[in-house]
Structure formats: structure tokens, C-alpha cells
Amino acid sequence: MGFSKELLLARLQELGIHFVSYEHPVVLTLEAQAKYVGHLGSALSKNLFLKDKKHRLYVVSALADTKVDLKVLSQRLGLGKGGLRMAPEESLQEVLQVPLGCVTPFALINESARSVALLLDQGLKAQKCLFHPLSNDMTISLSANDLDKFLISIGRSPSYVDLEAIVPVGKDQPPDLATLVPTEIVKSLDVPQQGTPIQIAAENHMPREKKLMELQGTEKISNKSKPAGDGVTKKPSGDKNPSTGVADVQKFVNEIMDKTSAILQAEVSEASIQKHGKQLGNVLSDTIRKRLTLDLENLVMTFKNTAYTEGFQSKIGSLSLHK
Amino acid sequence: MGENANEVPQEEEEDQIVNPFQVTVKKGEKIDYDKLIDKFGCQRLDPSFVERVERVTSRPPHVFLRRGVFFAHRDFNEILDAYERGENFYLYTGRGPSSEALHLGHLVPFMFTKYLQDAFKVPLVIQLTDDEKCMWKNLSVEESQRLARENAKDIIACGFDVTRTFIFSDFDYVGGAFYKNMVKVAKCVTFNKVVGIFGFTPEDHIGKISFPPVQAVPSFPSSFPHLFSGKDDLRCLIPCAIDQDPYFRMTRDVAPRIGYQKPALIESSFFPALQGETGKMSASDPNSAIYVTDSAKDIKKKVNNHAFSGGQDSIEKHRELGANLEVDIPFKYLTFFLDDDDEVEHIRKEYGSGRMLTGEVKQKLIQVLTELVERHRKARAAVTEEMVDVFMAVRPLPNMFG
């Protein structure tokens, strides 16, 4: 799959980068991580994996104490208000190729993460910092200088930003971080729904990110479990397929063809030919109409809504280009 | 016409209580809809209406109309009259997003509204009362907003047309022209009146007491200047469950006083819980309802193990007496969701006479529900955050009529 922790550490050593590594049981949250390495004098980092409305991805790496306001960040990047969201789990696996709870700047060593933007909190420069080296059962401590050495070695120019600054963005003040927005869109593969372990882990993963977004969820906002009665947490929206959101004509036509063929194949048999003889055509035509109309109407409405949404987004995008 | 917005449903003396905040019956009894229609002062939707709708829309009437699920109305005949004259109207419905888990009962008004949108080719506004749930269910503002968005996805999955539909949440949209109408309405309703209509007490906080105008003003086209500017006379039709009637009784009372058309209503009965008419559908009891996230296995288990059966205790007795269709839930659910009238009649005859057994009826129900839930699940999966944004974007809707 992607780089392993061992390969990464070997690479760091090759590059002459000084780091100290600490092994500990797998941790999925900042609190858990702090239990094992919080006392060392290095600063714990929090790492967010975000996406914008155009599916571009960002890793934001900051001190655990730094307040990161996604709304402000979104505006500073020129994405408008509310343009940034948490990236879906599939992207974590496909693009960063790290497990849940393990977002780290080191994941950018993977080819698949080529187009992911990296924003670094300038607070990281002040002291040695703690990051996961591609797996949750270890933390490494290194200085910002050494982190830069690593980033430069993978062809990145490190950009440190004052993440807490409230920078006004308006007609006469262009978004100050707009240059950091990736130019390429990461093409991710269709990943079918994973089994239970990831959904359960999602429950652990979310509280950390949600805390960072400073929501005041009184209930567990991340709790996506349904009263399904059999104890398995389920995602409410079914497949979060990256290719939803695209009005795909071929896919759509294929679905219609498949459904029609299925009915035809089921309904044409020795028995039905005998029974209806020459009328089979009319009978089939009625059956298809009866059985398929509702499904097709749904499919077509979905297609219409998706295409309209794409058009709308495109218009919004073109508006911001003409600022 | 028997309308009386001032009338207090004397809760203490009645054995059934129906208002937006409470629906209860005396233990062991069913809701008496005739009594309700009488008390509220709305009209029954008789079969002639159903025929008329079929004529006017040139398509088969929705199963909920045919089976009497939507059974009461106010001024629906005027909407039809106006429509036949070539005058338009718009639809208004809504949801209080109090939980993430939607069950089939929640979908009923939306399924019907989608049919109305398609049949009459009219625009629709959908209100998500996140503020109401924040106040009544004591949710945080963020949580109620989040739930509103999540519910919006299920609503969109019912198949609404984005070129004719505007979804809004109160927290996002209240302000401007909408708020101006809220104040106009509020000025016309005394404290005593809301106490009478909704049963508020001096201990209730002022948020609750001042909420009713929020649900009233989407009935007025001037609340949506980006949609209906210049169309102040546009009529509004509100499909809803009958417990919402008090809000709109109040609205209809106020409308002429502020120079607006009275909204028309078309109202549905309550969707029964899996365990029977007298059971309560509750978010904390997953077996009281079929959820849109239930798997085929869940549906099978729930229907087989929890659906209240009107069948007799033994096969012999059943063959002799037949099933009690009044209380049988699987049959009741089939009347909601099985479109084919002939099939339903067949089951009614066979099951009612005892020739068909409960197991067979349950099996048919499982098949119907599984198909429905699967179709919904697929549609839901195709709803992206961007699509929700678009449905909720304040944008004009050209070609919203016809």
C-alpha cells in the first residue's frame, strides 16, 4: 500500500534528520496520545485532513493548543465561508494511506498525496514537536528545521502560517492563503463500503476532530449509530462514493439497460411464451412500464438534481474567478 | 365553515389530545378521526375529490389519496377551482429535525408532497424548524442545524425536483421579508390566543410562545421575495399531518387581517406504530418503526417479530373468523405502501375471511418495504453536501410552474 512506518524512519535516517521515537499502544485521539508522550517536553501536534467543495485536499498541522477556525481558514484560502470540511475516510485511506487517527505531514511522502496541500502552524517552529510517523503506535519528536528537511526532500516547500490570525478577506483584501490551494485535484478510486471495524473506529476518530472544530455538541455529534437493534454502527448515507456528485450519463444509461434486461430475462420463458404467444410483446411492454416506472423516475430525478448541482457549483466557481 | 381559532381543545375533558406538541389517546383506544374533524372544523376529503384530482392532473391519484391516508382538508376545492381556471399555487411543507433516524412515518408527508409537485407541476418550499427543536428538545443550536442538514438529505432522496424546490432552515433563513411577515402575524395573535391554541403556560419560555409565527409565514408568498416577488396573490397548499392543524387555523385567521390569502390544507392521519395503533412510535424504541436505514434483515425481523397481528390465535380459529383488519398492522401498512389496488382488495378479502394467513401478509409487506427502503437508500446515497447546499441556496426558480 503506502509507505510503512519502517520505510519512513529509514528514509529520515538517510536524510540525516534527527528524531526521537516513542512506541506506545495504538492511540486514536490526542488525549490518548498525550497520556503516553505528553510529558516529554515536546509539543503535541494536531493534524486535520480537510477537503473543499472542489474535492481538493489539505493537511493542516498545528500545535494542539492552536485554535483553528475552519470558517476563517476557508476564507483565507479563498474558498468562501464554509468551504472547508473534514475529508471523508475513504480519502484518508486512498490518498494519505494512513489509518484513522493518524493524519500527519509525513503522509505526504506517498505519491498518492502529491496534490494535497500542507499548511503548517507557525507555532510549530518554537520547539520540538510530536507527530505520528504513518502509524498510531508510535510518535516521533523532531524540530521544525528537521521537518523542513524532510518536506524539501519530497519536493515540498514548507509554508508556516499564523493559523490563529483573523485575517479579513473582502473586496479589497484578497485571501492571503490562496496560493496554498492545490492546483490539481486528487483523483481517488471508487472504494466500496468497508466492513465494520472502520465504522467503529470512526466513532473514536471523530471526537478529536470535532473538539478541534470547537463545536458545542451536547450529544455525540459524531455518533452515527442508528437504532438498528443489532449493535452495528452504520453510516446513514450508504456509499460515500467519490463519484457521486457527478451526473454520469453512461452509468445512468447502463443502469436503465440493466434493469430493463433483468425484467425481460425474467419474464420471457417457455411458459410465458406459451401463455401469451403473439401478445407477449404487449404483455412485456406493460410489465416493464409497471415495474420500471417508479425506479426510473427516481433515477432520472437524481440525475437531474446532480446535473443542476454541478451547474450551480460551476457558476459559483466562475463568480469567484472574476473577483 | 366551523373554523374557530379561538376554541380551546379542552384537554382535560377530552379523551384524545391532538396538537403539534402532543398526540395521545385514552389507553387502549384509537384516534377518532371523525371527532377530530368535527372539533378542528376541517372537511373530509370524499371520493369525489379523488376523482377530480385525477381528472385535473391527468394521472392516477396517489395511493395515499385512494386509501384515505390524506383524508381531511381546508379549501382544497378552491385550490382545484383556481387551478382549473389556470391560476397557480405553491406547496409548503416542513419537518422538525429532532432526530437523525427517519422512519417511514416521517416520509409519508414528503412522499405525498412529491406526488403533488409532479402532478400539478408547482414549486415547493420546505421548512426545517431547527429553531423549534432547539427550543423544545433542548438541543444545541449547532446540533439542531446539523440534524436539519441530515434530514434534508433524506427529504431530497424522496425525489424532489431541484428546479422547483427550496429547502430552508429557520436559523439560516429567518430575517428580511420573512421576518417582516412574522411580525405582522405576531401582532394579530394575543397571548391568550396562543395559550388557547397551543396550551402554553406561564412557565414556558418566551421562545416557545413566540414560535408560532415562524411556522405560519411560509404560507405567504411574500415571505420568499427571491421566488414569488410580485405574486402576492399566489395561493398556498399545505400537506401536513393533522396534528399541525392548529398552526394553520391560527394562520388562516390572521391572513385576511393582513391582506393575504388563506392557505389551504390537505391533512393526513397518523402513521401507526409497528406494535399497533395504540402503541407509540418512539425514537428510543427501534422496534416501533421501520427506519430508512434498516437493512433487509432488520425489516424482516421487525415485521415478523413486532408487527401487531390481527390474525387469530390458532389456524382453525383464523380460518373460521378471519383476521381483524381494523387492528392488523401488516395489512394497514400494505394499504399505505402497496400501490396495486387489486392486490390490496384481494388481500383484504382473503385475509379478512381467514383464507390467507398472517405469515403470507407479513411476507408481502416485507417485500414491499424492502423495495421501498432500498430505493430510498440508493437515492439518499446520491445526495451530496453540494446538492443540499443547492437545494438550500437562495436562488430564483425560473420555470417553477408547469
Side-chain angles (χ1 to χ4, degrees):
Chain A
M1 273 247 311
F3 266 73
S4 68
K5 161 183 78 183
E6 289 76 19
L7 274 179
L8 171 71
L9 297 181
R11 175 71 73 84
L12 294 182
Q13 277 169 340
E14 278 170 29
L15 293 168
I17 287 171
H18 298 121
F19 66 91
V20 186
S21 62
Y22 306 91
E23 289 186 279
H24 49 67
V26 165
V27 293
L28 294 171
T29 62
L30 264 184
E31 292 84 1
Q33 192 181 21
K35 270 198 284 216
Y36 298 107
V37 291
H39 58 288
L40 295 167
S42 301
L44 212 43
S45 73
K46 69 184 172 197
N47 297 271
L48 306 173
F49 188 38
L50 308 168
K51 85 164 173 71
D52 66 19
K53 294 186 180 185
K54 296 212 168 99
H55 305 293
R56 294 177 295 214
L57 299 166
Y58 308 77
V59 166
V60 176
S61 193
L63 288 181
D65 296 332
T66 300
K67 285 205 178 67
V68 179
D69 185 334
L70 286 190
K71 283 199 286 280
V72 171
L73 193 55
S74 172
Q75 283 189 298
R76 288 176 69 185
L77 284 165
L79 303 172
K81 290 191 201 161
L84 278 179
R85 300 218 151 89
M86 305 304 289
E89 281 156 37
E90 288 87 23
S91 303
L92 197 59
Q93 292 143 35
E94 289 158 18
V95 178
L96 288 190
Q97 303 202 65
V98 289
L100 278 173
C102 195
V103 179
T104 166
F106 291 104
L108 299 178
I109 197 176
N110 288 306
E111 245 305 284
S112 50
R114 191 181 55 235
S115 312
V116 177
L118 177 64
L119 275 80
L120 298 165
D121 179 9
Q122 69 184 27
L124 294 172
K125 288 203 205 173
Q127 71 269 284
K128 289 219 171 97
C129 295
L130 301 165
F131 302 94
H132 279 307
L134 304 181
S135 96
N136 318 51
D137 58 3
M138 183 187 274
T139 302
I140 58 174
S141 159
L142 76 172
S143 69
N145 270 343
D146 281 313
L147 179 63
D148 289 351
K149 260 199 219 163
F150 163 75
L151 291 171
I152 293 170
S153 82
I154 57 170
R156 298 262 180 174
S157 43
S159 33
Y160 290 84
V161 170
D162 180 357
L163 287 174
E164 284 189 329
I166 309 282
V167 176
V169 172
K171 225 171 51 164
D172 301 319
Q173 304 111 312
D176 68 318
L177 300 178
T179 48
L180 298 174
V181 172
T183 42
E184 261 182 61
I185 298 180
V186 177
K187 291 240 162 54
S188 40
L189 309 158
D190 279 10
V191 176
Q193 266 267 281
Q194 297 289 321
T196 350
I198 294 182
Q199 274 117 330
I200 292 179
E203 302 245 335
N204 294 330
H205 177 62
M206 293 306 267
R208 165 160 128 177
E209 321 293 76
K210 288 297 176 190
K211 181 173 128 183
L212 303 173
M213 282 163 69
E214 272 133 18
L215 288 175
Q216 285 169 29
T218 44
E219 303 172 14
K220 277 196 285 169
I221 290 178
S222 57
N223 186 354
K224 290 208 190 260
S225 63
K226 288 291 128 70
D230 58 2
V232 174
T233 52
K234 292 188 206 165
K235 276 203 188 147
S237 56
D239 306 325
K240 270 230 213 103
N241 194 321
S243 71
T244 55
V246 173
D248 188 330
V249 174
Q250 276 190 311
K251 186 159 164 241
F252 175 52
V253 170
N254 277 332
E255 249 195 280
I256 300 178
M257 291 297 166
D258 286 342
K259 285 189 195 284
T260 315
S261 303
I263 296 184
L264 281 174
Q265 285 165 340
E267 296 293 310
V268 176
S269 62
E270 285 274 5
S272 62
I273 296 178
Q274 285 225 346
K275 183 171 174 197
H276 299 289
K278 278 197 272 192
Q279 289 303 312
L280 190 56
N282 290 336
V283 170
L284 275 179
S285 152
D286 281 340
T287 309
I288 289 181
R289 231 180 240 276
K290 190 165 140 188
R291 302 240 304 255
L292 220 43
T293 306
L294 203 50
D295 274 340
L296 275 189
E297 280 180 355
N298 278 358
L299 267 178
V300 178
M301 188 60 84
T302 300
F303 189 80
K304 179 176 181 180
N305 289 345
T306 306
Y308 180 105
T309 302
E310 280 185 281
F312 194 84
Q313 298 295 328
S314 178
K315 177 64 175 175
I316 302 279
S318 78
L319 286 177
S320 63
L321 285 178
H322 290 292
K323 272 283 161 61
Chain B
M1 261 239 286
E3 282 194 53
N4 203 334
N6 297 323
E7 183 182 290
V8 179
Q10 296 290 330
E11 322 286 47
E12 306 81 353
E13 301 160 13
E14 299 287 326
D15 32 31
Q16 62 185 26
I17 300 175
V18 178
N19 66 47
F21 311 112
Q22 191 183 10
V23 175
T24 44
V25 271
K26 240 181 32 203
K27 194 156 163 62
E29 294 194 0
K30 286 178 19 168
I31 303 245
D32 186 338
Y33 286 108
D34 287 315
K35 236 185 181 171
L36 204 53
I37 290 186
D38 245 356
K39 185 165 80 178
F40 282 177
C42 43
Q43 322 290 104
R44 263 242 178 230
L45 255 184
D46 58 61
S48 66
F49 262 107
V50 182
E51 282 161 24
R52 194 173 169 200
V53 168
E54 180 165 17
R55 248 196 345 265
V56 165
T57 58
S58 317
R59 61 165 70 195
H62 192 266
V63 59
F64 291 163
L65 272 178
R66 286 182 269 134
R67 307 276 165 77
V69 172
F70 276 81
F71 72 110
H73 77 98
R74 291 182 189 276
D75 288 349
F76 186 46
N77 51 315
E78 287 195 23
I79 293 274
L80 290 177
D81 290 341
Y83 190 76
E84 279 180 320
R85 286 198 298 269
E87 286 170 37
N88 279 310
F89 65 94
Y90 74 101
L91 294 163
Y92 155 41
T93 191
R95 167 162 170 81
S98 60
S99 64
E100 203 158 343
L102 281 179
H103 55 60
L104 295 183
H106 292 135
L107 288 191
V108 162
F110 291 108
M111 291 162 76
F112 189 64
T113 306
K114 173 199 157 52
Y115 152 78
L116 289 173
Q117 180 177 66
D118 290 344
F120 288 94
K121 303 202 193 326
V122 288
L124 160 69
V125 300
I126 301 180
Q127 178 182 46
L128 296 169
T129 56
D130 40 8
D131 53 347
E132 181 206 353
K133 290 309 170 187
C134 176
M135 290 193 279
W136 263 270
K137 301 277 168 167
N138 197 18
L139 301 173
S140 73
V141 169
E142 288 81 9
E143 179 62 359
S144 51
Q145 283 185 292
R146 186 191 73 85
L147 287 176
R149 272 188 79 94
E150 284 306 308
N151 283 180
K153 292 179 190 162
D154 278 295
I155 292 173
I156 292 171
C158 290
F160 292 108
D161 185 338
V162 69
T163 62
R164 284 201 239 265
T165 307
F166 174 53
I167 303 181
F168 65 100
S169 88
D170 289 342
F171 277 132
D172 283 342
Y173 191 68
V174 169
F178 193 93
Y179 183 60
K180 291 179 188 163
N181 279 340
M182 276 170 59
V183 172
K184 285 192 197 175
V185 168
K187 282 167 73 172
C188 295
V189 184
T190 62
F191 179 64
N192 281 331
K193 216 182 239 173
V194 287
V195 168
I197 299 176
F198 300 108
F200 293 139
T201 70
E203 276 68 51
D204 283 317
H205 59 68
I206 55 178
K208 290 188 183 180
I209 299 175
S210 51
F211 177 75
V214 180
Q215 187 155 328
V217 308
S219 327
F220 308 131
S222 55
S223 303
F224 304 101
H226 65 288
L227 296 178
F228 305 129
S229 136
K231 297 195 179 76
D232 275 357
D233 262 347
L234 190 61
R235 290 167 192 273
C236 176
L237 173 64
I238 309 177
C240 60
I242 194 159
D243 64 339
Q244 300 297 309
D245 193 87
Y247 276 120
F248 303 115
R249 269 207 310 278
M250 176 196 82
T251 311
R252 285 170 59 92
D253 188 57
V254 168
R257 284 149 66 188
I258 53 179
Y260 289 149
Q261 292 257 30
K262 293 188 198 182
L265 281 101
I266 184 165
E267 300 162 297
S268 70
S269 54
F270 300 112
F271 190 71
L274 214 44
Q275 293 105 332
E277 296 269 9
T278 52
K280 253 192 92 171
M281 268 194 298
S282 134
S284 54
D285 180 5
N287 291 320
S288 61
I290 305 284
Y291 289 88
V292 299
T293 45
D294 281 344
S295 67
K297 214 167 78 173
D298 292 328
I299 296 177
K300 188 163 175 186
K301 201 164 70 145
K302 286 189 189 182
V303 171
N304 278 331
N305 299 344
H306 299 280
F308 186 82
S309 165
Q312 303 299 339
D313 301 327
S314 67
I315 297 195
E316 299 78 32
K317 221 170 153 201
H318 183 87
R319 298 266 190 230
E320 188 193 322
L321 300 170
N324 179 355
L325 296 178
E326 286 294 298
V327 303
D328 185 270
I329 288 298
F331 181 68
K332 191 95 227 212
Y333 275 29
L334 281 174
T335 61
F336 274 76
F337 297 117
L338 180 52
D339 197 76
D340 189 333
D341 284 338
D342 293 330
E343 234 186 308
V344 171
E345 268 324 293
H346 175 79
I347 297 177
R348 186 195 301 272
K349 275 216 282 281
E350 298 298 291
Y351 191 40
S353 65
R355 284 190 290 272
M356 194 184 279
L357 297 178
T358 304
E360 222 184 303
V361 180
K362 283 192 173 180
Q363 209 180 24
K364 180 72 194 176
L365 179 64
I366 291 170
Q367 179 211 334
V368 167
L369 293 182
T370 307
E371 239 180 77
L372 201 147
V373 168
E374 177 57 23
R375 203 179 292 129
H376 183 94
R377 196 198 61 76
K378 271 187 89 177
R380 193 1 170 141
V383 178
T384 56
E385 294 291 342
E386 287 77 14
M387 202 186 280
V388 175
D389 289 338
V390 168
F391 268 90
M392 296 184 73
V394 173
R395 71 210 189 281
L397 300 177
N399 310 320
M400 59 172 115
F401 297 112

